Amino acid sequence: MIDVEGYLRRLRLLHDGPPSVAGLFSLQRAHVERVAYENLAIWLDQPTTVDPAESAGRIVAGRGGYCFHLNGAFSALLNALGYQVTRHFGSVQGSPASPAGSIGNHLVLTVTGLPTPDNPTGEWLVDAGLGDAIHDPIPLIPGTYHQGPFVYGLRPSEAEPGGWRLDHDPRGSFHGMDLRPGPVTMDTFENMHKHLSTSPDSSFVRTSAIQRRDPNGIDTLTGLSLRRLGHHDTTTLLDRETDFSEALADIFGLTITRQELTHLWPRLWTAHEKWLTTKTS
């Protein structure tokens, strides 16, 4: 069970009707705008699981997570609100040189039963866990989709037969994502979650990452480097603890305690200094 009312308050939504296309769009948009994609739990030495109820509780308390947390919790919320939602095995391809499919480093969602004139099958790609990717649900119809200053492609997957391929905007942080057909349970992702959250080889362990999508662009905080990507791009170094703390709250809507900040800031600053050394050596 999840705290549906608390979750909706975090999204700043009132949802008082049956499932609808408009309702689905409102939920997706609110989620990516108000619940950040972030891996701070790793940097705060706070172990997490892929249990959707645990993830939803963390979201209600003012935090975010990465795909297993965000889409796991979001699927539980959609289900509680009456939507026909399915969890799928997904694989994010980081670069064109990386293999596509069969990685299982992403949990992706589809919602069915909501037909429109432009989408008569009523099937939608829904994803609150891709960080800097889609803002709106995308109909499961091959095509090119414009959302704000970004362009996405959807087509049948070559790596996952019978599945779908989302091609990210060229300015995005990854190349694309493949969705495998058929439902999966959350325990499918337990081993990958353990790897991502504990392995020295994991990019999440090596680098803190926070992302938030809105209609006009993306805010990304990688280590101490804050970047705004949209119609105009800017980059700012947050080299003071107060600036970093204010960015967490004001830009990303994240709530952390003073004790957590005291633990987090020295680790981030040390990582930043190490990065500077590699850049100048």
Coordinates of all heavy atoms in Angstrom, one line a residue, residues 190-275:
E190 N 16.5 -6.5 -9.1 CA 17.2 -6.5 -7.8 C 18.7 -6.5 -8.0 O 19.5 -5.8 -7.4 CB 16.7 -7.6 -6.9 CG 15.4 -7.4 -6.3 CD 14.9 -8.5 -5.4 OE1 15.6 -9.6 -5.4 OE2 13.9 -8.4 -4.8
N191 N 19.2 -7.4 -8.9 CA 20.6 -7.6 -9.1 C 21.2 -6.3 -9.8 O 22.3 -5.9 -9.4 CB 20.9 -8.8 -9.9 CG 20.7 -10.1 -9.2 OD1 20.7 -10.1 -8.0 ND2 20.5 -11.2 -9.9
M192 N 20.5 -5.8 -10.7 CA 21.0 -4.6 -11.4 C 21.0 -3.4 -10.4 O 21.9 -2.6 -10.4 CB 20.2 -4.3 -12.6 CG 20.7 -3.0 -13.4 SD 22.4 -3.0 -13.9 CE 22.3 -4.2 -15.2
H193 N 20.0 -3.3 -9.6 CA 19.9 -2.2 -8.6 C 21.1 -2.4 -7.6 O 21.8 -1.4 -7.3 CB 18.6 -2.3 -7.8 CG 18.6 -1.4 -6.6 ND1 18.7 -0.1 -6.7 CD2 18.5 -1.7 -5.3 CE1 18.7 0.5 -5.4 NE2 18.6 -0.5 -4.6
K194 N 21.4 -3.6 -7.2 CA 22.6 -3.8 -6.3 C 23.9 -3.3 -7.0 O 24.7 -2.7 -6.4 CB 22.7 -5.2 -5.9 CG 23.9 -5.5 -5.0 CD 23.9 -7.0 -4.6 CE 25.1 -7.3 -3.6 NZ 25.1 -8.7 -3.2
H195 N 24.0 -3.7 -8.3 CA 25.2 -3.3 -9.0 C 25.3 -1.7 -9.1 O 26.3 -1.1 -8.9 CB 25.2 -3.9 -10.4 CG 26.2 -3.3 -11.4 ND1 27.6 -3.7 -11.3 CD2 26.1 -2.3 -12.3 CE1 28.2 -3.0 -12.2 NE2 27.4 -2.2 -12.8
L196 N 24.2 -1.1 -9.5 CA 24.2 0.3 -9.7 C 24.5 1.1 -8.5 O 25.1 2.2 -8.5 CB 22.9 0.8 -10.3 CG 22.6 0.4 -11.8 CD1 21.2 0.8 -12.2 CD2 23.6 1.0 -12.7
S197 N 24.0 0.6 -7.3 CA 24.1 1.3 -6.1 C 25.4 1.0 -5.2 O 25.7 1.7 -4.3 CB 22.9 1.1 -5.2 OG 22.7 -0.3 -4.9
T198 N 26.1 -0.1 -5.6 CA 27.2 -0.5 -4.8 C 28.5 -0.8 -5.5 O 29.6 -0.7 -4.9 CB 26.9 -1.8 -4.0 OG1 26.7 -2.9 -4.9 CG2 25.7 -1.6 -3.1
S199 N 28.5 -1.1 -6.8 CA 29.7 -1.5 -7.5 C 30.6 -0.3 -7.8 O 30.1 0.8 -8.2 CB 29.3 -2.1 -8.8 OG 30.5 -2.3 -9.6
P200 N 31.9 -0.4 -7.6 CA 32.8 0.7 -8.0 C 32.8 1.0 -9.4 O 33.2 2.1 -9.9 CB 34.2 0.1 -7.5 CG 33.9 -1.0 -6.6 CD 32.6 -1.5 -6.9
D201 N 32.3 0.1 -10.2 CA 32.2 0.3 -11.7 C 31.0 1.1 -12.1 O 30.8 1.5 -13.2 CB 32.2 -1.1 -12.4 CG 33.5 -1.8 -12.2 OD1 34.6 -1.2 -12.1 OD2 33.4 -3.1 -12.2
S202 N 30.1 1.3 -11.1 CA 28.8 2.0 -11.4 C 29.0 3.5 -11.6 O 29.7 4.1 -10.7 CB 27.8 1.7 -10.4 OG 26.7 2.6 -10.5
S203 N 28.5 4.1 -12.6 CA 28.6 5.5 -12.7 C 27.8 6.2 -11.6 O 28.2 7.4 -11.2 CB 27.9 6.0 -14.1 OG 26.6 5.6 -14.1
F204 N 26.8 5.6 -11.0 CA 26.2 6.2 -9.8 C 27.0 6.3 -8.6 O 26.9 7.2 -7.8 CB 24.9 5.4 -9.5 CG 23.8 5.6 -10.5 CD1 22.6 4.8 -10.4 CD2 23.8 6.5 -11.5 CE1 21.6 4.9 -11.2 CE2 22.7 6.7 -12.4 CZ 21.6 5.9 -12.2
V205 N 27.9 5.3 -8.4 CA 28.8 5.3 -7.3 C 30.0 6.3 -7.6 O 30.5 6.9 -6.6 CB 29.4 3.9 -7.1 CG1 30.5 3.9 -6.1 CG2 28.3 2.9 -6.7
R206 N 30.4 6.5 -8.8 CA 31.5 7.4 -9.1 C 31.0 8.8 -9.2 O 31.9 9.7 -8.9 CB 32.1 7.0 -10.5 CG 32.7 5.6 -10.5 CD 33.6 5.4 -11.8 NE 32.9 5.7 -13.0 CZ 32.3 4.8 -13.7 NH1 32.3 3.5 -13.3 NH2 31.6 5.1 -14.8
T207 N 29.8 9.1 -9.5 CA 29.3 10.5 -9.8 C 27.9 10.7 -9.3 O 27.0 9.9 -9.6 CB 29.4 10.8 -11.3 OG1 30.7 10.5 -11.8 CG2 29.1 12.3 -11.5
S208 N 27.7 11.7 -8.5 CA 26.4 12.1 -8.1 C 25.7 12.8 -9.3 O 26.3 13.5 -10.0 CB 26.4 13.0 -6.9 OG 26.9 14.3 -7.2
A209 N 24.4 12.4 -9.4 CA 23.6 12.9 -10.6 C 22.2 13.3 -10.2 O 21.5 12.5 -9.5 CB 23.6 11.9 -11.7
I210 N 21.7 14.5 -10.6 CA 20.4 14.9 -10.3 C 19.9 15.5 -11.6 O 20.6 16.3 -12.2 CB 20.3 15.9 -9.2 CG1 21.1 15.4 -7.9 CG2 18.9 16.2 -8.8 CD1 21.2 16.5 -6.8
Q211 N 18.6 15.2 -12.0 CA 18.0 15.7 -13.2 C 16.6 16.0 -13.0 O 15.9 15.3 -12.2 CB 18.2 14.8 -14.4 CG 19.6 14.5 -14.8 CD 19.7 13.4 -15.9 OE1 19.1 12.4 -15.8 NE2 20.6 13.7 -16.9
R212 N 16.1 17.1 -13.6 CA 14.7 17.4 -13.5 C 14.2 18.0 -14.9 O 14.9 18.9 -15.4 CB 14.5 18.5 -12.4 CG 13.0 18.8 -12.1 CD 12.9 20.1 -11.4 NE 13.3 21.2 -12.1 CZ 12.5 21.9 -13.0 NH1 11.3 21.6 -13.2 NH2 13.0 22.9 -13.6
R213 N 13.1 17.5 -15.4 CA 12.6 17.9 -16.7 C 11.4 18.9 -16.5 O 10.7 18.8 -15.5 CB 12.1 16.7 -17.4 CG 11.6 16.9 -18.8 CD 12.7 17.2 -19.8 NE 12.2 16.9 -21.2 CZ 11.6 17.8 -21.9 NH1 11.2 19.0 -21.5 NH2 11.2 17.4 -23.2
D214 N 11.3 19.9 -17.3 CA 10.1 20.7 -17.4 C 9.7 21.0 -18.8 O 10.4 20.5 -19.7 CB 10.3 22.0 -16.6 CG 11.5 22.9 -17.1 OD1 11.5 23.1 -18.4 OD2 12.3 23.4 -16.3
P215 N 8.7 21.8 -19.1 CA 8.2 21.9 -20.5 C 9.3 22.5 -21.4 O 9.3 22.3 -22.6 CB 7.0 22.8 -20.4 CG 6.5 22.6 -19.0 CD 7.7 22.4 -18.2
N216 N 10.2 23.3 -20.8 CA 11.1 24.1 -21.7 C 12.5 23.6 -21.6 O 13.4 24.2 -22.3 CB 11.0 25.6 -21.2 CG 9.6 26.1 -21.4 OD1 9.0 26.0 -22.4 ND2 9.1 26.8 -20.3
G217 N 12.8 22.6 -20.8 CA 14.2 22.1 -20.8 C 14.5 21.2 -19.6 O 13.6 20.6 -19.0
I218 N 15.8 21.1 -19.3 CA 16.3 20.1 -18.3 C 17.3 20.8 -17.4 O 18.1 21.6 -17.9 CB 17.0 18.9 -19.0 CG1 16.0 18.2 -20.0 CG2 17.6 18.0 -18.0 CD1 16.8 17.5 -21.1
D219 N 17.2 20.6 -16.1 CA 18.2 21.0 -15.2 C 18.9 19.7 -14.7 O 18.3 18.7 -14.4 CB 17.6 21.6 -13.9 CG 16.9 22.9 -14.3 OD1 17.5 23.8 -14.8 OD2 15.7 23.1 -14.0
T220 N 20.3 19.8 -14.8 CA 21.1 18.7 -14.5 C 22.2 19.2 -13.5 O 22.9 20.2 -13.8 CB 21.8 18.1 -15.7 OG1 20.8 17.6 -16.6 CG2 22.7 16.9 -15.3
L221 N 22.4 18.4 -12.4 CA 23.4 18.7 -11.5 C 24.3 17.5 -11.4 O 23.9 16.5 -10.8 CB 22.9 19.1 -10.1 CG 23.9 19.4 -9.0 CD1 24.8 20.5 -9.4 CD2 23.1 19.8 -7.7
T222 N 25.5 17.5 -12.0 CA 26.4 16.4 -12.0 C 27.6 16.8 -11.1 O 28.3 17.8 -11.5 CB 26.9 16.1 -13.4 OG1 25.8 15.9 -14.3 CG2 27.8 14.9 -13.4
G223 N 27.7 16.2 -10.0 CA 28.7 16.6 -9.0 C 28.3 18.0 -8.5 O 27.2 18.2 -8.0
L224 N 29.1 19.0 -8.8 CA 28.8 20.4 -8.4 C 28.6 21.3 -9.7 O 28.5 22.5 -9.5 CB 30.0 21.0 -7.6 CG 30.4 20.2 -6.3 CD1 31.5 20.9 -5.6 CD2 29.2 20.1 -5.4
S225 N 28.4 20.7 -10.8 CA 28.2 21.4 -12.1 C 26.7 21.4 -12.4 O 26.2 20.4 -12.7 CB 29.0 20.8 -13.2 OG 28.8 21.4 -14.4
L226 N 26.2 22.6 -12.4 CA 24.7 22.8 -12.6 C 24.6 23.2 -14.1 O 25.1 24.3 -14.5 CB 24.1 23.8 -11.7 CG 22.7 24.2 -11.9 CD1 21.7 23.0 -11.7 CD2 22.3 25.3 -11.0
R227 N 23.8 22.5 -14.9 CA 23.6 22.8 -16.3 C 22.1 23.0 -16.6 O 21.3 22.1 -16.2 CB 24.2 21.8 -17.2 CG 24.2 22.1 -18.7 CD 24.7 21.0 -19.5 NE 24.8 21.4 -20.9 CZ 24.9 20.5 -21.9 NH1 25.0 19.2 -21.7 NH2 25.0 21.0 -23.2
R228 N 21.8 24.0 -17.3 CA 20.4 24.2 -17.8 C 20.5 23.9 -19.3 O 21.3 24.6 -20.1 CB 19.9 25.6 -17.5 CG 18.6 25.9 -18.2 CD 17.5 25.1 -17.6 NE 16.2 25.4 -18.3 CZ 15.0 24.8 -18.0 NH1 15.0 23.9 -17.0 NH2 13.9 25.1 -18.7
L229 N 19.7 23.0 -19.8 CA 19.7 22.6 -21.3 C 18.3 22.9 -21.8 O 17.3 22.3 -21.3 CB 20.1 21.2 -21.4 CG 20.2 20.6 -22.9 CD1 21.3 21.3 -23.6 CD2 20.5 19.1 -22.8
G230 N 18.2 23.7 -22.8 CA 16.9 24.0 -23.4 C 17.1 24.8 -24.6 O 17.9 24.5 -25.5
H231 N 16.3 25.9 -24.7 CA 16.5 26.8 -25.8 C 17.8 27.5 -25.7 O 18.4 27.9 -26.8 CB 15.3 27.8 -25.9 CG 14.0 27.2 -26.1 ND1 13.6 26.6 -27.3 CD2 12.9 27.0 -25.2 CE1 12.3 26.1 -27.2 NE2 11.9 26.3 -25.9
H232 N 18.3 27.8 -24.5 CA 19.6 28.3 -24.3 C 20.3 27.5 -23.2 O 19.6 27.1 -22.2 CB 19.5 29.8 -23.8 CG 18.7 30.7 -24.8 ND1 19.3 31.1 -26.0 CD2 17.5 31.2 -24.8 CE1 18.4 31.9 -26.6 NE2 17.3 31.9 -25.9
D233 N 21.6 27.3 -23.4 CA 22.3 26.4 -22.4 C 23.2 27.2 -21.5 O 23.9 28.2 -22.0 CB 23.1 25.4 -23.2 CG 22.3 24.5 -24.1 OD1 21.1 24.5 -24.0 OD2 22.9 23.8 -25.0
T234 N 23.2 26.9 -20.2 CA 24.1 27.6 -19.3 C 24.7 26.5 -18.4 O 24.1 25.5 -18.1 CB 23.3 28.6 -18.4 OG1 22.3 28.0 -17.7 CG2 22.7 29.7 -19.3
T235 N 25.9 26.8 -17.8 CA 26.6 25.9 -16.9 C 27.1 26.8 -15.7 O 27.7 27.8 -16.0 CB 27.7 25.2 -17.5 OG1 27.2 24.4 -18.6 CG2 28.4 24.2 -16.5
T236 N 26.9 26.4 -14.5 CA 27.3 27.1 -13.3 C 27.9 26.1 -12.3 O 27.4 25.0 -12.1 CB 26.1 27.7 -12.6 OG1 25.4 28.6 -13.5 CG2 26.5 28.6 -11.4
L237 N 29.1 26.5 -11.8 CA 29.7 25.7 -10.8 C 29.2 26.1 -9.4 O 29.3 27.3 -9.0 CB 31.3 25.9 -10.8 CG 32.1 25.2 -9.7 CD1 31.9 23.7 -9.8 CD2 33.5 25.6 -9.7
L238 N 28.7 25.2 -8.6 CA 28.2 25.4 -7.3 C 29.3 25.1 -6.3 O 29.4 24.0 -5.8 CB 26.9 24.6 -7.0 CG 25.8 24.7 -8.0 CD1 24.6 23.9 -7.6 CD2 25.3 26.2 -8.1
D239 N 30.2 26.1 -6.1 CA 31.4 25.8 -5.3 C 31.2 26.3 -3.8 O 32.2 26.3 -3.1 CB 32.6 26.5 -5.9 CG 32.4 28.0 -6.1 OD1 31.3 28.5 -5.8 OD2 33.4 28.6 -6.6
R240 N 30.0 26.6 -3.4 CA 29.7 26.9 -2.0 C 28.6 26.0 -1.5 O 27.6 25.8 -2.3 CB 29.3 28.4 -1.9 CG 30.4 29.4 -2.2 CD 30.0 30.8 -1.8 NE 28.7 31.2 -2.4 CZ 28.0 32.3 -2.1 NH1 28.5 33.1 -1.1 NH2 26.9 32.6 -2.6
E241 N 28.7 25.6 -0.3 CA 27.7 24.7 0.2 C 26.3 25.3 0.2 O 25.3 24.6 -0.1 CB 28.1 24.3 1.7 CG 27.2 23.3 2.3 CD 27.6 22.9 3.7 OE1 28.8 22.8 4.0 OE2 26.7 22.8 4.6
T242 N 26.2 26.6 0.5 CA 24.9 27.2 0.5 C 24.3 27.2 -0.9 O 23.0 27.0 -1.0 CB 25.0 28.6 1.0 OG1 26.0 29.4 0.3 CG2 25.3 28.7 2.5
D243 N 25.1 27.5 -1.9 CA 24.5 27.5 -3.3 C 24.0 26.1 -3.7 O 23.0 25.9 -4.3 CB 25.6 27.9 -4.3 CG 26.0 29.4 -4.1 OD1 25.2 30.1 -3.5 OD2 27.1 29.7 -4.5
F244 N 24.8 25.1 -3.3 CA 24.4 23.7 -3.6 C 23.1 23.3 -2.9 O 22.2 22.8 -3.5 CB 25.5 22.7 -3.1 CG 25.2 21.3 -3.3 CD1 25.3 20.6 -4.5 CD2 24.7 20.5 -2.2 CE1 25.0 19.3 -4.7 CE2 24.4 19.2 -2.3 CZ 24.5 18.6 -3.6
S245 N 23.0 23.7 -1.6 CA 21.8 23.4 -0.8 C 20.6 24.1 -1.4 O 19.5 23.5 -1.5 CB 22.0 23.8 0.7 OG 20.9 23.6 1.4
E246 N 20.8 25.4 -1.8 CA 19.6 26.1 -2.3 C 19.2 25.5 -3.7 O 18.0 25.5 -4.0 CB 20.0 27.6 -2.5 CG 20.1 28.3 -1.1 CD 20.7 29.7 -1.3 OE1 21.0 30.1 -2.4 OE2 20.9 30.4 -0.2
A247 N 20.1 25.1 -4.5 CA 19.8 24.5 -5.8 C 19.0 23.2 -5.5 O 18.0 22.9 -6.3 CB 21.1 24.2 -6.6
L248 N 19.4 22.4 -4.6 CA 18.6 21.2 -4.3 C 17.2 21.5 -4.0 O 16.3 20.8 -4.6 CB 19.2 20.4 -3.1 CG 20.5 19.7 -3.2 CD1 20.9 18.9 -2.0 CD2 20.6 18.8 -4.4
A249 N 16.9 22.5 -3.2 CA 15.6 22.8 -2.8 C 14.8 23.6 -3.9 O 13.7 23.3 -4.2 CB 15.6 23.7 -1.5
D250 N 15.4 24.6 -4.4 CA 14.7 25.6 -5.3 C 14.6 25.0 -6.7 O 13.6 25.3 -7.4 CB 15.5 26.9 -5.4 CG 15.5 27.6 -4.0 OD1 14.7 27.2 -3.1 OD2 16.4 28.5 -3.8
I251 N 15.6 24.3 -7.3 CA 15.6 23.9 -8.6 C 15.0 22.4 -8.7 O 14.2 22.1 -9.6 CB 17.0 23.9 -9.3 CG1 17.4 25.4 -9.3 CG2 17.0 23.3 -10.7 CD1 18.8 25.6 -9.8
F252 N 15.5 21.6 -7.8 CA 15.1 20.2 -7.9 C 14.1 19.7 -6.9 O 13.6 18.6 -6.9 CB 16.4 19.3 -7.7 CG 17.4 19.6 -8.8 CD1 18.5 20.4 -8.5 CD2 17.3 19.0 -10.0 CE1 19.5 20.7 -9.5 CE2 18.2 19.3 -11.0 CZ 19.3 20.1 -10.8
G253 N 13.7 20.6 -6.0 CA 12.6 20.2 -5.1 C 12.9 19.1 -4.1 O 12.1 18.4 -3.7
L254 N 14.2 19.0 -3.8 CA 14.7 17.9 -2.9 C 14.8 18.4 -1.5 O 15.4 19.5 -1.2 CB 16.0 17.4 -3.4 CG 16.0 16.6 -4.7 CD1 17.4 16.3 -5.2 CD2 15.2 15.3 -4.5
T255 N 14.4 17.6 -0.6 CA 14.5 17.8 0.9 C 15.6 17.0 1.5 O 15.4 15.7 1.5 CB 13.2 17.6 1.6 OG1 12.1 18.4 1.0 CG2 13.3 17.9 3.1
I256 N 16.6 17.6 2.0 CA 17.6 16.8 2.8 C 17.9 17.5 4.1 O 17.7 18.8 4.2 CB 18.9 16.5 2.0 CG1 19.7 17.8 1.8 CG2 18.7 15.8 0.7 CD1 21.1 17.6 1.3
T257 N 18.2 16.8 5.1 CA 18.5 17.4 6.4 C 19.8 18.1 6.5 O 20.7 17.8 5.7 CB 18.4 16.4 7.5 OG1 19.5 15.5 7.4 CG2 17.0 15.6 7.5
R258 N 20.0 18.9 7.5 CA 21.3 19.6 7.7 C 22.4 18.5 8.0 O 23.5 18.6 7.5 CB 21.2 20.5 8.9 CG 22.5 21.2 9.3 CD 22.9 22.2 8.1 NE 24.3 22.4 8.1 CZ 25.0 23.1 7.2 NH1 24.2 23.7 6.2 NH2 26.3 23.3 7.2
Q259 N 22.0 17.5 8.7 CA 23.0 16.4 9.0 C 23.4 15.7 7.7 O 24.6 15.4 7.5 CB 22.4 15.4 10.0 CG 23.3 14.3 10.3 CD 22.7 13.3 11.3 OE1 21.5 13.4 11.7 NE2 23.4 12.3 11.8
E260 N 22.4 15.5 6.8 CA 22.7 14.8 5.5 C 23.6 15.7 4.7 O 24.5 15.3 4.0 CB 21.4 14.5 4.8 CG 20.6 13.4 5.4 CD 19.3 13.2 4.8 OE1 18.7 14.2 4.3 OE2 18.8 12.0 4.7
L261 N 23.3 17.0 4.7 CA 24.1 17.9 3.9 C 25.6 18.0 4.4 O 26.5 18.0 3.6 CB 23.5 19.4 3.9 CG 24.3 20.4 3.2 CD1 24.3 20.1 1.7 CD2 23.6 21.8 3.4
T262 N 25.7 17.9 5.7 CA 27.1 17.9 6.3 C 27.8 16.7 5.9 O 29.1 16.7 5.8 CB 26.9 18.0 7.9 OG1 26.3 19.2 8.2 CG2 28.3 18.0 8.5
H263 N 27.1 15.6 5.7 CA 27.8 14.3 5.3 C 28.1 14.4 3.8 O 29.1 13.9 3.3 CB 26.9 13.2 5.6 CG 27.4 11.8 5.1 ND1 28.4 11.1 5.8 CD2 27.0 11.1 4.1 CE1 28.6 10.0 5.2 NE2 27.8 9.9 4.1
L264 N 27.2 15.0 3.0 CA 27.3 14.9 1.6 C 28.3 15.9 1.0 O 29.1 15.6 0.1 CB 25.9 15.2 1.0 CG 25.7 15.2 -0.5 CD1 26.0 13.9 -1.1 CD2 24.3 15.7 -0.9
W265 N 28.3 17.1 1.5 CA 29.1 18.2 0.9 C 30.6 17.9 0.8 O 31.2 18.0 -0.3 CB 28.9 19.5 1.6 CG 29.7 20.6 1.1 CD1 30.9 21.2 1.7 CD2 29.6 21.3 -0.2 NE1 31.4 22.1 0.9 CE2 30.7 22.2 -0.3 CE3 28.7 21.2 -1.2 CZ2 30.8 23.0 -1.4 CZ3 28.8 22.0 -2.4 CH2 29.9 22.9 -2.4
P266 N 31.2 17.4 1.9 CA 32.7 17.1 1.8 C 33.0 16.0 0.7 O 34.0 16.0 0.1 CB 33.0 16.6 3.2 CG 32.0 17.2 4.1 CD 30.8 17.2 3.3
R267 N 32.1 15.0 0.6 CA 32.3 14.0 -0.4 C 32.2 14.5 -1.8 O 33.0 14.2 -2.7 CB 31.2 12.9 -0.2 CG 31.3 12.1 1.2 CD 30.4 10.9 1.2 NE 30.9 9.9 0.3 CZ 30.3 8.7 0.1 NH1 29.2 8.5 0.7 NH2 30.8 7.8 -0.7
L268 N 31.2 15.4 -2.0 CA 31.1 16.0 -3.4 C 32.3 16.9 -3.7 O 32.8 16.9 -4.8 CB 29.8 16.8 -3.4 CG 28.5 16.0 -3.4 CD1 27.3 16.9 -3.4 CD2 28.4 15.0 -4.6
W269 N 32.7 17.7 -2.7 CA 33.9 18.6 -2.9 C 35.1 17.8 -3.2 O 35.9 18.1 -4.1 CB 34.0 19.5 -1.7 CG 35.1 20.5 -2.0 CD1 36.4 20.5 -1.5 CD2 35.0 21.6 -2.9 NE1 37.1 21.6 -2.0 CE2 36.2 22.3 -2.8 CE3 34.0 22.1 -3.7 CZ2 36.5 23.5 -3.6 CZ3 34.2 23.3 -4.4 CH2 35.5 23.9 -4.4
T270 N 35.4 16.7 -2.5 CA 36.5 15.9 -2.7 C 36.5 15.3 -4.1 O 37.5 15.2 -4.8 CB 36.6 14.7 -1.7 OG1 36.7 15.3 -0.4 CG2 37.8 13.8 -1.9
A271 N 35.3 14.8 -4.5 CA 35.1 14.2 -5.9 C 35.4 15.3 -6.9 O 36.0 15.0 -8.0 CB 33.8 13.6 -6.0
H272 N 35.0 16.5 -6.6 CA 35.2 17.6 -7.6 C 36.7 17.9 -7.7 O 37.2 18.1 -8.8 CB 34.4 18.9 -7.1 CG 34.6 20.1 -8.0 ND1 34.1 20.2 -9.2 CD2 35.3 21.2 -7.7 CE1 34.5 21.3 -9.8 NE2 35.2 22.0 -8.9
E273 N 37.4 18.0 -6.6 CA 38.8 18.3 -6.6 C 39.6 17.1 -7.4 O 40.5 17.4 -8.1 CB 39.3 18.4 -5.2 CG 38.9 19.7 -4.5 CD 39.5 19.9 -3.2 OE1 39.6 18.9 -2.4 OE2 39.9 21.0 -2.9
K274 N 39.1 15.9 -7.2 CA 39.7 14.8 -7.9 C 39.5 14.9 -9.4 O 40.4 14.7 -10.2 CB 39.2 13.5 -7.4 CG 39.8 12.2 -8.0 CD 39.2 11.0 -7.4 CE 39.8 9.7 -8.1 NZ 39.2 8.5 -7.5
W275 N 38.3 15.3 -9.8 CA 38.0 15.5 -11.2 C 38.8 16.7 -11.8 O 39.3 16.5 -12.9 CB 36.5 15.9 -11.3 CG 36.1 16.2 -12.7 CD1 35.8 15.3 -13.7 CD2 35.9 17.5 -13.3 NE1 35.5 16.0 -14.9 CE2 35.5 17.4 -14.6 CE3 36.0 18.8 -12.7 CZ2 35.2 18.4 -15.4 CZ3 35.7 19.9 -13.5 CH2 35.3 19.7 -14.9

